[in-house]
Amino acid sequence: MWWRSPSFILDNRQQQQPYDTARGDALSIPLSSPLPPSTTMADPNPNPNPNPLTDKISAYYQTRAAHHGVVSSDWLAQAQAAVGHLPEGDDDANTTDQGASSGKPFSVIDEFNNWRKQPDLAEAVAAIRALAAVIRNSQATTMMELEIELKKASDSLKSWDTTSISLTAGCDLFMRYVTRTSALEYEDFNSAKTRLIERAEKFGEISYKARKIIAMLSQDFIFDGCTILVHGFSRVVLEVLKTAAQSKKLFRVFCTEGRPDRTGLRLSNELAKLDVPVKLLIDSAVAYSMDEVDMVFVGADGVVESGGIINMMGTYQIALVAHSMNKPVYVAAESYKFARLYPLDQKDMGPALRPIEFGVPIPSKVEVETSARDYTPPQYLTLLFTDLGVLTPSVVSDELIQLYL
Amino acid sequence: MDARRGSLPVPRVRQVGFFTPNAPPAPTRSQSGPPNSSSPPLPESPASNSLSPVMIPPPRHHSDNLAAAPRPTSPLPVPEPSPFRRRGAHAGADNNAPLVGSYNPTETLLAMSPPATRSPSDSHAGDGESEVAMSGGWFRRSNSAKLASSLPSGTFDFSSVQSTAEALKPTKVQNRVGVSEASGRPAPKEQQPEAPSSSKQPKPKLTKAERRALQESQRAAKAATKASGGGKSVAASEEVTTVKSVKQHQTQKKDAPHVAVSVAASERKGGDKSQEKERRKDAPAPRMQFDDKSRVDKAKRRSVVDQTEARNRVELFRHLPQYEHGTQLADLESKFLQLDPMHPAIYKVGLQYLAGDISGGNARCIAMLQAFQQVIQDYSTPPEKTLQRDLTAKISSYVSFFTQCRPLSMSMGNAIRFLKNRIAKLPLSLSESESKSSICSDIDRFINEKIVLADRVIVQHASSKVKDGDVLLVYGSSCVVEMILLHSHELGKQFRVIVVDSRPKLEGKALLRRLVVKGVHCTYTHINAVSYVMHEVTKVFLGASSVLSNGTVYSRVGTACVAMVAHAFRVPVIICCEAYKFHERVQLDSICSNELGDPDAIGKVPGRMDVNYLDDVSNSVNLQLLNLMYDATPADYVSMIVTDYGMIPPTSVPVIVREYRRDHLLI
């Protein structure tokens, strides 16, 4: 909703003036104070291979696995530390950003990588912050120049990891804001530039807010005594379930294991902390337990133009099973995951591969399907919970048309 | 008009009475009722209210609208009888105001006159009325609901008033006859024999508002009675309809000698024409229903193209125009010199449509627009006229000529709408040459942006979906699909094409030839084999004549079949269609709006003497040949629509229509 019109942006700004300034301070102070970069974040997240072209490992899914994947006790401790000290993460990124800008030539990709190391930061937000850093470091003196520079940066970002839909969507969204919005007219270049940067800073907060909105919207659909099947780990879904638990709803959750990075384990862990009854299923037990399930809740890596979703492997088959048993399938996704893509079938997307551990050596003759994601067509989805409201799949395209055309 | 005359010898009253024996005086009455109430869109209502009043209130029956709305093909629609009719109504209302009370005045008047006077003139009156009713096409349809429903309640109503009415009636009627004759109204001759109907004329002095109010009240009363008497004798009335249509047919034949009269009438109508055109501009004209004989006859009399109607038409598709092919062309060519108002460019394009030389939505649309461009270049505003109005009227007349040659496609309708809108929006301050050049450049831009560039964008989008190793199935010949295939081939993609074709047009062969020449690997098959080849297909690319706002794709007949088979095989179906072909209409089947081709085309196989089994039976009454041109593919079978606005699901068509319709018109 926030990008629907520039006037909305202005209204929002007026409303949130106090909050914004406070936040701006929080962001600007660490910028000016160079802290020693904390390594707690970087350690459990080995840098994904920044060159996906040589071996087709999807950086996006690597990061996901690193963020939400296998749960170990020390990892949990670290994660908690990271979640508890978000500003610290900001410090870390910001300082490296500064270092990058002052020392070696600025690279948007490094910048982006710095941002996305934070587990709580959505990829689109990281992309937009990286682009904001481009603006900050830009030597351009005209809007046009800046636009061209940004375009280049976003193109290089997009081509760096073609598998990440929200990265592409985030770049597109920000580019659109820069090129199309009328909020920037009638201003001199410098104030326009600062406004763009402000905007990018605010984006993270918006993405956080979007989760809250989605959680609120979905509360009407969770009723007492229901059983919810979730697949994989999604921050939005977690937020939804957390809000439901906090509002004293009685429900239980079936978590799939989420092989190969076992993100389901992480989710069940989080839910157990909230005292929500959780049952873990292996991925192949979905159909077996579907009759007990009242609804399926999944997140999405990307929502495509047809209204279908691209999500971690296994979503499609869950949706198929649920559809055949007439169970509703709900998708929770922020609107910045809407992408102008239109896959016709499963293979109609760029491959996003990911190494899979089987625990035993696999003979070289055996081929392994390493794709990390699948496409769920819109006819198997019931509703999408987004920060734009509760949408049927067909509305996604309408929103996209209004946004991009 | 002439319909009435022709009917005089036919004892119409008795016939109708036959169907509603329970309501003795009703026949005439019920007959006259509906047309009266549904004829408020008066030809003489000022041009300012370009939307006819009937369009505004919710129609009680769809046929009302049919009657009211202007038609492209019949330049002399219903309103013809209405002047008398309405005046009659007012006369009735005025004279009988106290006794009629709540009910439709004319109805009562007419209903009562037979028992009251039984004079020959009166029976004629009834006759005339009923005939008029028939001549309006809507009547036959509205019959089924309205006649039936208005009958019973009307009778009761009537009986309550009758005593007083009978006392008053005879003198009144005679009175009025006298007046009308005395007043010597400059009415056309054909009116004279029908004294009673014209006798109701002498009170035209109501103001517009009064008339409007009266009509409203009548309408309300009607609706009430309809509701109360609802659907008792629907079945019976249906019989009425069919029998009547037969009768009507006879009377139409009798009409033939009266053409001269009709010409007179049309001359008299001249003044109304421009107003009608105004209206036509605003309200999208409903298609002419060709099962309604009188209207078709009227249209035919006006039409330039002399079309012979095919004899055995399929029952379900009678409302569509169907003509014997091949006869008109020579005839039209011979008429060339007589048609002074027709611009040669228009004439040429019309003939090309007729002969089938130009086919395909884009080609037809471009040809039409370019013809209009030439017209506009050669155009000079006649004295005492404004360019905006006169040119619009001219274009409307050309459009109706095109429609006679071949029914317009929806894309052409959109283009015409665009053009008229541009003309109407021209600032008055522009000089003639400036306006002309501005319109011409608008047309150029429309062709360029909405067709040529749009195609290019579609090709870009769609060829991104063609992957190496694909097997693409195409049906028929769509120019944009062909461009996609060729472009993908130029990009070096390795794919195979299956061209599916169907009789009788075999358009796929031309496409096949062009593809093969370019070096594309092709397979050619007929639609009969589509289920066999479908399992190896990975994508289906189809063109469309139009995409309707419920996502229904209106396209060459056979497309729906291909799409359904593809859907059953879970093969994605990609429709490629420019956004200017999108239409806000909703259509659920391919019956209500379609085009009929030459029936002989499917009955005969040229060059195959051994299969010409139908040669000797082609004129048999038992044989009906149906050659449909289009069909409607439901949105469920469509995976994606590629337009100039990108790739969208069929559910998003209304968004495009809503968001960009204004753009279409304004560019």
Side-chain angles (χ1 to χ4, degrees):
Chain A
M1 188 85 73
W2 57 271
W3 32 256
R4 189 65 71 59
S5 77
S7 70
F8 180 85
I9 293 161
L10 290 177
D11 295 348
N12 215 12
R13 167 160 314 171
Q14 276 155 10
Q15 280 168 11
Q16 299 187 334
Q17 205 68 44
Y19 184 60
D20 270 356
T21 46
R23 202 186 147 76
D25 287 345
L27 280 172
S28 58
I29 291 165
L31 266 177
S32 54
S33 63
L35 288 176
S38 62
T39 50
T40 46
M41 297 296 307
D43 269 346
N45 311 325
N47 240 350
N49 191 335
N51 196 356
L53 295 176
T54 49
D55 59 341
K56 297 238 182 123
I57 299 302
S58 160
Y60 177 74
Y61 287 95
Q62 288 276 71
T63 324
R64 265 190 85 85
H67 286 171
H68 316 307
V70 192
V71 185
S72 60
S73 53
D74 64 330
W75 185 90
L76 269 182
Q78 280 167 351
Q80 255 167 4
V83 173
H85 301 89
L86 231 193
E88 210 178 14
D90 273 21
D91 292 354
D92 167 29
N94 280 328
T95 43
T96 42
D97 156 32
Q98 272 209 338
S101 57
S102 55
K104 53 189 178 246
F106 175 78
S107 148
V108 67
I109 292 168
D110 293 346
E111 177 70 30
F112 173 67
N113 278 329
N114 278 327
W115 280 113
R116 71 192 204 132
K117 276 176 204 154
Q118 300 173 37
D120 216 31
L121 201 60
E123 189 122 333
V125 182
I128 285 177
R129 292 217 170 151
L131 288 178
V134 172
I135 298 178
R136 210 175 290 130
N137 288 289
S138 158
Q139 309 295 322
T141 51
T142 62
M143 206 62 206
M144 202 61 208
E145 224 175 314
L146 185 66
E147 233 178 270
I148 293 168
E149 214 166 294
L150 267 180
K151 182 98 184 80
K152 254 188 228 158
S154 82
D155 283 349
S156 65
L157 255 189
K158 279 194 264 183
S159 60
W160 178 76
D161 184 3
T162 48
T163 57
S164 169
I165 293 162
S166 51
L167 167 62
T168 317
C171 287
D172 286 349
L173 208 56
F174 192 65
M175 284 312 292
R176 191 192 139 76
Y177 176 74
V178 174
T179 52
R180 293 273 192 95
T181 186
S182 59
L184 298 175
E185 283 168 16
Y186 321 116
E187 278 186 280
D188 67 338
F189 177 65
N190 277 327
S191 65
K193 202 168 146 180
T194 44
R195 183 179 284 208
L196 284 178
I197 295 170
E198 266 172 37
R199 178 106 203 100
E201 304 291 355
K202 240 170 98 181
F203 203 93
E205 169 213 328
I206 285 163
S207 94
Y208 180 71
K209 218 163 80 185
R211 266 174 236 162
K212 290 278 179 211
I213 296 171
I214 293 166
M216 292 313 294
L217 285 174
S218 52
Q219 291 313 302
D220 293 342
F221 293 82
I222 298 173
F223 51 91
D224 273 341
C226 67
T227 305
I228 302 171
L229 176 72
V230 293
H231 181 59
F233 182 91
S234 154
R235 281 170 295 212
V236 198
V237 173
L238 179 60
E239 185 72 41
V240 168
L241 298 177
K242 204 189 264 175
T243 316
Q246 278 160 0
S247 51
K248 306 266 182 271
K249 292 207 163 140
L250 301 172
F251 58 95
R252 66 177 173 153
V253 178
F254 287 1
C255 277
T256 57
E257 181 193 8
R259 284 271 291 148
D261 31 77
R262 293 152 77 191
T263 47
L265 296 185
R266 160 100 192 270
L267 187 71
S268 58
N269 220 312
E270 301 275 348
L271 289 173
K273 274 191 256 168
L274 296 169
D275 284 335
V276 175
V278 189
K279 191 183 199 179
L280 259 180
L281 314 173
I282 53 171
D283 290 333
S284 36
V286 167
Y288 169 78
S289 40
M290 189 56 86
D291 57 341
E292 292 177 63
V293 171
D294 290 309
M295 67 190 77
V296 176
F297 247 104
V298 290
D301 296 342
V303 181
V304 296
E305 191 136 13
S306 60
I309 57 166
I310 293 174
N311 197 25
M312 95 178 249
M313 188 60 92
T315 310
Y316 181 36
Q317 69 193 27
I318 290 177
L320 275 175
V321 171
H323 182 78
S324 70
M325 298 207 184
N326 281 334
K327 311 283 183 187
V329 178
Y330 299 131
V331 177
E334 300 94 330
S335 60
Y336 58 71
K337 286 176 176 165
F338 287 14
R340 292 219 75 193
L341 285 173
Y342 202 132
L344 286 167
D345 50 29
Q346 300 300 325
K347 306 292 171 336
D348 193 17
M349 301 179 281
L353 305 181
R354 172 180 59 181
I356 296 175
E357 286 293 316
F358 287 93
V360 286
I362 305 288
S364 60
K365 281 181 194 165
V366 176
E367 210 182 332
V368 178
E369 174 63 64
T370 53
S371 183
R373 61 186 182 187
D374 59 20
Y375 162 63
T376 310
Q379 62 262 36
Y380 302 114
L381 306 178
T382 314
L383 287 173
L384 293 139
F385 300 127
T386 74
D387 44 327
L388 307 176
V390 181
L391 312 178
T392 58
S394 59
V395 183
V396 173
S397 166
D398 305 5
E399 296 290 342
L400 277 167
I401 288 171
Q402 279 175 5
L403 175 59
Y404 283 105
L405 285 181
Chain B
M1 279 310 124
D2 31 328
R4 274 195 224 178
R5 260 182 78 123
S7 73
L8 286 180
V10 184
R12 200 54 33 195
V13 179
R14 234 194 309 133
Q15 278 173 19
V16 182
F18 171 73
F19 292 100
T20 52
N22 54 339
T28 6
R29 204 177 138 279
S30 60
Q31 287 275 321
S32 58
N36 179 23
S37 54
S38 49
S39 61
L42 300 162
E44 73 237 281
S45 67
S48 55
N49 50 341
S50 55
L51 262 182
S52 66
V54 155
M55 305 295 269
I56 301 160
R60 286 161 308 147
H61 197 278
H62 59 169
S63 46
D64 284 0
N65 269 355
L66 286 183
R71 274 145 212 266
T73 38
S74 74
L76 282 183
V78 234
E80 228 183 325
S82 57
F84 315 112
R85 186 144 289 301
R86 205 186 79 253
R87 280 196 204 101
H90 293 305
D94 270 11
N95 295 349
N96 305 340
L99 68 138
V100 169
S102 66
Y103 205 60
N104 186 337
T106 327
E107 223 170 280
T108 347
L109 172 95
L110 285 167
M112 283 189 249
S113 42
T117 55
R118 291 280 176 213
S119 73
S121 75
D122 238 327
S123 78
H124 275 311
D127 206 352
E129 291 299 340
S130 67
E131 220 18 70
V132 169
M134 308 251 170
S135 70
W138 26 265
F139 184 65
R140 266 191 51 225
R141 293 171 143 267
S142 63
N143 227 352
S144 49
K146 207 172 296 164
L147 165 62
S149 56
S150 69
L151 260 185
S153 62
T155 346
F156 310 140
D157 200 337
F158 164 60
S159 61
S160 67
V161 200
Q162 197 160 22
S163 54
T164 42
E166 242 169 303
L168 290 173
K169 197 86 276 182
T171 51
K172 290 244 163 175
V173 169
Q174 265 142 31
N175 238 349
R176 250 173 271 130
V177 172
V179 171
S180 82
E181 253 139 40
S183 67
R185 208 173 173 290
K189 284 162 233 122
E190 91 258 27
Q191 258 176 275
Q192 243 88 18
E194 303 183 71
S197 63
S198 57
S199 71
K200 282 168 248 135
Q201 284 171 17
K203 280 270 179 159
K205 291 289 181 258
L206 285 173
T207 68
K208 199 171 97 188
E210 281 173 303
R211 264 182 266 143
R212 185 73 63 77
L214 187 66
Q215 283 158 13
E216 292 296 339
S217 66
Q218 287 171 4
R219 217 171 279 136
K222 265 273 126 143
T225 41
K226 187 179 169 186
S228 64
K232 273 189 204 165
S233 47
V234 175
S237 66
E238 228 135 312
E239 269 179 277
V240 177
T241 324
T242 50
V243 173
K244 209 170 286 159
S245 70
V246 173
K247 286 287 143 109
Q248 207 175 325
H249 190 58
Q250 296 168 352
T251 55
Q252 292 310 324
K253 274 178 191 154
K254 277 177 213 142
D255 284 346
H258 299 293
V259 177
V261 177
S262 85
V263 169
S266 73
E267 236 129 21
R268 193 171 49 79
K269 283 286 147 189
D272 302 336
K273 234 183 283 171
S274 61
Q275 297 166 13
E276 236 144 62
K277 258 153 212 161
E278 292 285 309
R279 250 184 273 158
R280 211 172 281 169
K281 219 173 26 183
D282 288 16
R287 295 182 80 150
M288 176 150 155
Q289 301 293 299
F290 280 78
D291 48 351
D292 137 12
K293 291 261 166 39
S294 63
R295 202 163 296 260
V296 171
D297 277 2
K298 267 182 209 154
K300 217 195 265 175
R301 258 175 261 128
R302 298 254 323 168
S303 82
V304 176
V305 188
D306 191 17
Q307 307 249 45
T308 335
E309 269 184 61
R311 259 149 303 174
N312 298 330
R313 291 196 281 165
V314 181
E315 186 56 49
L316 205 50
F317 293 90
R318 272 183 198 279
H319 59 287
L320 301 171
Q322 181 163 41
Y323 299 113
E324 306 266 4
H325 282 245
T327 53
Q328 330 85 323
L329 202 57
D331 179 60
L332 197 54
E333 270 161 10
S334 69
K335 268 196 214 157
F336 177 58
L337 293 174
Q338 301 158 23
L339 297 168
D340 36 33
M342 205 58 72
H343 191 281
I346 299 287
Y347 196 73
K348 178 180 155 199
V349 172
L351 284 184
Q352 281 170 325
Y353 288 166
L354 195 60
D357 291 347
I358 301 182
S359 64
N362 286 342
R364 277 168 73 195
C365 193
I366 290 175
M368 180 188 74
L369 286 174
Q370 280 169 346
F372 282 150
Q373 239 176 345
Q374 286 186 35
V375 168
I376 288 163
Q377 269 155 10
D378 297 344
Y379 173 82
S380 63
T381 318
E384 295 174 17
K385 284 192 176 171
T386 55
L387 178 131
Q388 277 87 343
R389 284 168 185 276
D390 188 55
L391 191 56
T392 315
K394 266 219 154 61
I395 283 177
S396 301
S397 73
Y398 295 149
V399 168
S400 65
F401 170 71
F402 283 146
T403 317
Q404 285 161 21
C405 293
R406 190 180 161 186
L408 296 183
S409 67
M410 282 182 219
S411 55
M412 287 161 81
N414 282 343
I416 291 165
R417 242 207 285 183
F418 157 79
L419 181 61
K420 286 191 177 173
N421 198 304
R422 291 308 298 179
I423 295 174
K425 292 264 162 64
L426 278 178
L428 285 165
S429 55
L430 282 186
S431 74
E432 191 181 305
S433 63
E434 279 170 334
S435 341
K436 276 161 62 178
S437 65
S438 130
I439 300 169
C440 284
S441 69
D442 280 337
I443 293 178
D444 270 335
R445 253 191 0 193
F446 186 90
I447 295 177
N448 197 30
E449 288 177 17
K450 297 287 165 201
I451 304 177
V452 178
L453 286 179
D455 276 347
R456 225 173 281 166
V457 175
I458 291 172
V459 167
Q460 293 291 334
H461 281 299
S463 54
S464 75
K465 289 287 165 206
V466 179
K467 302 268 155 47
D468 278 351
D470 265 352
V471 180
L472 310 178
L473 185 141
V474 300
Y475 175 70
S477 167
S478 154
C479 64
V480 66
V481 169
E482 182 184 343
M483 285 158 75
I484 290 165
L485 297 178
L486 291 179
H487 184 253
S488 312
H489 182 67
E490 276 162 25
L491 292 179
K493 293 185 175 169
Q494 299 296 314
F495 61 92
R496 220 150 58 76
V497 178
I498 297 179
V499 180
V500 177
D501 208 351
S502 73
R503 286 236 330 118
K505 288 210 158 195
L506 296 178
E507 292 161 311
K509 274 188 180 173
L511 171 72
L512 183 73
R513 185 190 156 75
R514 290 190 291 263
L515 289 178
V516 167
V517 165
K518 286 273 163 66
V520 183
H521 191 304
C522 288
T523 308
Y524 180 79
T525 179
H526 272 205
I527 195 166
N528 320 350
V530 74
S531 65
Y532 173 75
V533 293
M534 193 57 85
H535 67 88
E536 56 173 324
V537 172
T538 58
K539 270 160 204 132
V540 175
F541 279 93
L542 298 171
S545 166
S546 177
V547 179
L548 311 176
S549 59
N550 58 346
T552 300
V553 176
Y554 186 70
S555 188
R556 168 73 62 223
V557 69
T559 304
C561 168
V562 173
M564 282 181 212
V565 173
H567 179 79
F569 280 79
R570 295 288 181 274
V571 176
V573 177
I574 301 165
I575 302 285
C576 308
C577 179
E578 299 86 355
Y580 85 102
K581 291 181 180 171
F582 286 15
H583 201 278
E584 63 267 20
R585 187 158 70 177
V586 165
Q587 199 175 315
L588 300 173
D589 55 38
S590 28
I591 298 170
C592 61
S593 159
N594 210 323
E595 190 180 329
L596 295 178
D598 181 6
D600 282 343
I602 53 170
K604 291 187 180 131
V605 185
R608 287 286 302 279
M609 298 309 288
D610 52 327
V611 291
N612 279 348
Y613 304 115
L614 296 180
D615 269 358
D616 48 341
V617 287
S618 62
N619 287 330
S620 155
V621 226
N622 297 327
L623 176 67
Q624 298 175 335
L625 294 168
L626 176 64
N627 182 11
L628 278 181
M629 299 285 272
Y630 294 100
D631 64 12
T633 310
D636 301 349
Y637 304 119
V638 178
S639 321
M640 173 202 278
I641 298 175
V642 186
T643 75
D644 28 338
Y645 295 110
M647 297 176 279
I648 59 165
T651 51
S652 286
V653 174
V655 184
I656 298 279
V657 171
R658 166 163 37 90
E659 301 283 314
Y660 300 101
R661 177 59 67 201
R662 222 173 297 125
D663 290 12
H664 284 315
L665 296 179
L666 304 178
I667 288 201

